[in-house]
Amino acid sequence: MRSIAVLPFANMSTNEETGFLADGLSEDILDNLAQAESIRVASRSAAFQYVDPGQDPAIIGQKLKVAYLLEGSVRQRDDNVRITAQLIRISDGFHVWSKSYERTLADGFEMQTTVASNIAIITRSELIHDIFKNHGWKQNEDFIGIDPIAVEHFIMSTNEYRNIRLGEGGDLATSALYLKNAVEIDPNFLIAYNSLVSAYLLSHGIGKLPLHEARPAAHAASSRAIALAPNDFSAQLQLTRIHFTMELDYARAEVEFNQVLTQHPQISVLNMFLAEIALREGRINEALMYIAKFSFLRESKAKISYVNFGEAAPLLLGTGARYRCYGGDYEGALKLSAQGLQLAEKGQDRASILRAHACGLLGLGRVEQAKPIIDEGWQLDGSTRPEWYISLLARAGEIQRAKNILTNPRFDLADEESLAMGHLVLGNVDDAFKYIQAGIEDHNNRGLLNSLLVAEWWDPIRGDPRFHEMLELLDSKVTHTEQYLRDHKITQPEQ
């Protein structure tokens, strides 16, 4: 059932250049989809026979032996083009997904590559979700014996989170609410409890759920999951994430992450957690090594809550780029963020990658190149999280714009790392320390905790006695478990 054919995109104009673009898009999308192990893609020679628009999708699907078709068109007006893509379910002719892209021909091959990558990643996601939603969950052992209404809520939750990742809307609080409904309807729903842990971790880390609410809620969901399945590695891994993220229990988390990675090497994303621990302990070279080990675009077959790492690839690329910025590897950061920008068409993922890309450019002194990148990010999410742009704007020479963010009463500024960095760049050292302290107190600012020991932008205040006080405060928040390791006779793995 996971099969698709990419038909030649129709040239709706008479311009020959538009025809080349239509052909190129079709080929690039097919090539991108063919690299995914999870779906079968009809060959170019078979699919590209059907060049005439308006043919019956059911007949084409039957001849090509596929369950879905992707068709599209390119229409030109002056120097602008409209690219439209549609995913069709063969069984009933239903349009599962459609989207239009407004672009300019002047953007050339880069535009074609970016749009094709975005269409491919959304098409793959929509196809898999459509199968899962309609009947695929019934063949999944995670849902055997689970109330179908609870499963429905779980699917709606995954769809919310999926859309966040794809830049197609979605809301984290709504996703968590669906999960709460799912476990209330069926208290034996293991995977929903594991997913709920992730929802609380995300709501604390990138949302605004305070630690005193997020931690007990995450522990409650984790405890229920472990009670249902004491040997389930996903449940144990979620508890390790709580140890790391909410309790700053680095020694224990590092051991447990390495144990899971040894047993399940396909969960490549664990290298990112290990990189974070290394950054927080000042081990820059080890952090960069872990980032290099992570396969950002490799599809993971492991089931860890409801995170689909194929869909999360753009955000993970941006995260890796940001970690490389923390370690001072700006060239490496730009390589990762450039890949991410090809996959993320819009939304929070793209904005996050743009900020990482701007950080890399500014770190290399390429200020003029950074300015349009910052502006594009601002257009995507500057109105919702303006503090993320204060230091970027100030470092790019846009001092007044940066100051305006701080003084605008309409803005609800919350991210302590961004506010600390912004104040520091603007010369407000006392305010910088105020926000560093606030970020440490609530444990929720992973960027601040990841960067404090290693990032060069804190160098101007490292000699200030207050910086040493902040490091002591941070150390007091860390859960030191060397005794735990000794008591359990656990040996730290050699690096």
Side-chain angles (χ1 to χ4, degrees), residues 25-331:
L25 280 167
S26 307
E27 293 186 5
D28 285 355
I29 293 167
L30 190 152
D31 181 62
N32 275 278
L33 287 172
Q35 294 180 43
E37 297 179 5
S38 56
I39 58 176
R40 181 175 63 83
V41 184
S43 69
R44 180 188 184 282
S45 58
F48 280 27
Q49 299 177 60
Y50 301 95
V51 295
D52 297 325
Q55 298 183 74
D56 187 345
I59 295 175
I60 298 175
Q62 184 179 19
K63 290 183 177 180
L64 294 177
K65 298 180 180 179
V66 294
Y68 294 83
L69 293 180
L70 181 74
E71 63 178 17
S73 63
V74 181
R75 187 185 305 273
Q76 180 182 356
R77 183 174 181 180
D78 298 326
D79 291 331
N80 300 315
V81 290
R82 169 176 286 187
I83 301 164
T84 302
Q86 297 175 329
L87 178 64
I88 301 170
R89 189 193 306 134
I90 294 298
S91 61
D92 56 9
F94 181 78
H95 282 60
V96 176
W97 167 79
S98 65
K99 184 175 180 178
S100 293
Y101 301 77
E102 304 287 343
R103 295 293 184 270
T104 61
L105 285 172
D107 293 332
F109 184 71
E110 183 178 353
M111 175 271 288
Q112 173 184 313
T113 301
T114 301
V115 172
S117 296
N118 186 254
I119 291 174
I121 198 169
I122 297 179
T123 295
R124 173 188 170 279
S125 177
E126 291 287 349
L127 185 156
I128 292 173
H129 178 73
D130 190 62
I131 293 173
F132 179 72
K133 175 182 66 176
N134 289 307
H135 51 78
W137 65 269
K138 296 177 183 178
Q139 285 78 50
N140 190 312
E141 62 183 14
D142 291 320
F143 306 103
I144 295 175
I146 301 299
D147 189 309
I149 303 300
V151 174
E152 183 179 349
H153 282 273
F154 179 85
I155 292 172
M156 288 189 289
S157 172
T158 64
N159 194 43
E160 285 291 318
Y161 188 73
R162 185 179 68 90
N163 284 327
I164 293 172
R165 291 277 70 81
L166 296 173
E168 296 291 299
D171 177 74
L172 190 57
T174 302
S175 178
L177 181 60
Y178 282 133
L179 290 171
K180 292 177 189 177
N181 293 340
V183 296
E184 286 178 4
I185 294 167
D186 194 328
N188 296 314
F189 201 169
L190 174 63
I191 193 172
Y193 281 112
N194 283 333
S195 298
L196 195 53
V197 175
S198 282
Y200 287 128
L201 288 167
L202 287 168
S203 296
H204 175 62
I206 64 174
K208 296 184 179 180
L209 189 66
L211 180 64
H212 71 271
E213 294 181 22
R215 181 159 55 187
H219 268 297
S222 174
S223 296
R224 181 59 184 159
I226 291 173
L228 286 171
N231 298 318
D232 181 71
F233 90 90
S234 292
Q236 294 294 335
L237 180 56
Q238 295 297 65
L239 180 58
T240 299
R241 293 178 66 196
I242 296 173
H243 293 158
F244 167 55
T245 303
M246 293 181 168
E247 294 166 354
L248 309 187
D249 194 344
Y250 301 147
R252 181 173 185 166
E254 186 167 18
V255 167
E256 292 175 352
F257 281 140
N258 270 304
Q259 288 175 339
V260 175
L261 189 58
T262 299
Q263 297 168 5
H264 304 276
Q266 77 274 22
I267 313 177
S268 180
V269 74
L270 294 181
N271 286 292
M272 296 297 284
F273 291 117
L274 292 167
E276 281 194 82
I277 294 173
L279 286 170
R280 295 184 186 197
E281 295 185 338
R283 297 179 275 133
I284 296 177
N285 290 336
E286 287 183 29
L288 296 177
M289 175 196 72
Y290 283 124
I291 296 169
K293 284 184 176 181
F294 178 52
S295 300
F296 289 91
L297 300 179
R298 189 177 73 187
E299 180 183 357
S300 174
K301 297 182 178 63
K303 294 176 291 185
I304 308 175
S305 72
Y306 59 84
V307 177
N308 182 314
F309 293 115
E311 293 166 5
L315 184 63
L316 290 168
L317 284 160
T319 301
R322 189 162 60 253
Y323 291 178
R324 286 196 176 276
C325 282
Y326 293 153
D329 180 12
Y330 298 116
E331 291 285 2

Side-chain angles (χ1 to χ4, degrees), residues 326 415-422 435 445 447-448 451 457-458:
Y326 293 153
D415 186 76
E416 295 94 350
E417 180 198 24
S418 300
L419 288 166
M421 290 172 58
Y435 286 107
N445 200 299
L448 178 66
S451 69
W457 46 80
W458 302 119

